[in-house]
Amino acid sequence: RSSETTMVQEEMALDDTTKGETNSAQNADNKEKAEYSTTNNQVKDVEESDIVKTDGRYIYHVLEKGISIVDAQVPENLKEVSRIDFTGKDIRPNEIYLYENQLIVLANNYSYDYVLYDVMTKSTSGTENKNKAMAMIYDIKDIENPKEIRTIKVEGNYLSSRLIDGSLYFIS
C-alpha cells in the first residue's frame, strides 16, 4: 500500500506541473488579447450593467450623485479626468454600460409632490411621487467633456437591464 500511495502522489505532482505550464501559456495568450477584465456576464453576448466598468484605460465608477471617470493608464498615478455630476437634479445613478464611444447611465429620477390634506373638507390634493427610470446616453469621444446625447424616461423605478447586439433593454 505504501508504494501505491507514493506512485499516485508522484503522478498527481506531475499532472499539477503540466497543468501549471499549460495555464501559464494560456494566461500569456489571454494577456496579449486583453489587458483588462470585463463584467462577468452570465450569458454569452448579453452584456450586463455594473457599478464599475473599464475600457482598459479609463475606469468608470458610479457614485451616489454622479459618475467618476478615472485615467488608469498608470496605476500608480490614478487621476480623475471628468465627472458627470447629478447634484441637485434628484437623479441617483444605479449602473452603467460602455458601448462603443458611449457611456450609458441607468438611474432613477425621484420627484416628489407632497400630498396636502385639508382637515376641514377631509380631502387630499396632489400626488405622492412621480418616479422615473432613466437611461442617459453620453458621448465620451472627448473623455474630459462627456456630452449627454439622449435621455429616455419611463414611469417607475429602475430594476434591471441587458445590452444585446447594441440594443438596450431595461425594466422598471
Side-chain angles (χ1 to χ4, degrees), residues 133-160:
M134 304 172 65
M136 296 171 287
I137 303 165
Y138 290 84
D139 181 331
I140 54 172
K141 288 179 195 163
D142 179 1
I143 198 71
E144 293 181 11
N145 299 297
K147 180 182 175 188
E148 186 175 350
I149 56 176
R150 185 167 184 199
T151 298
I152 301 163
K153 293 181 181 183
V154 295
E155 287 187 23
N157 293 309
Y158 170 75
L159 181 63
S160 186

Side-chain angles (χ1 to χ4, degrees), residues 94-163:
N94 293 307
E95 297 173 328
I96 54 176
Y97 287 99
L98 289 175
Y99 180 73
E100 296 177 353
N101 287 321
Q102 297 176 342
L103 171 67
I104 303 168
V105 179
L106 302 164
N108 283 313
N109 177 220
Y110 298 105
S111 176
Y112 296 96
D113 288 335
Y114 296 96
V115 176
L116 300 175
Y117 180 74
D118 187 329
V119 291
M120 298 299 273
T121 63
K122 297 183 181 178
S123 64
T124 59
S125 61
T127 59
E128 290 185 13
N129 66 53
K130 298 178 186 178
N131 293 349
K132 304 269 188 215
M134 304 172 65
M136 296 171 287
I137 303 165
Y138 290 84
D139 181 331
I140 54 172
K141 288 179 195 163
D142 179 1
I143 198 71
E144 293 181 11
N145 299 297
K147 180 182 175 188
E148 186 175 350
I149 56 176
R150 185 167 184 199
T151 298
I152 301 163
K153 293 181 181 183
V154 295
E155 287 187 23
N157 293 309
Y158 170 75
L159 181 63
S160 186
S161 65
R162 296 293 183 269
L163 184 63

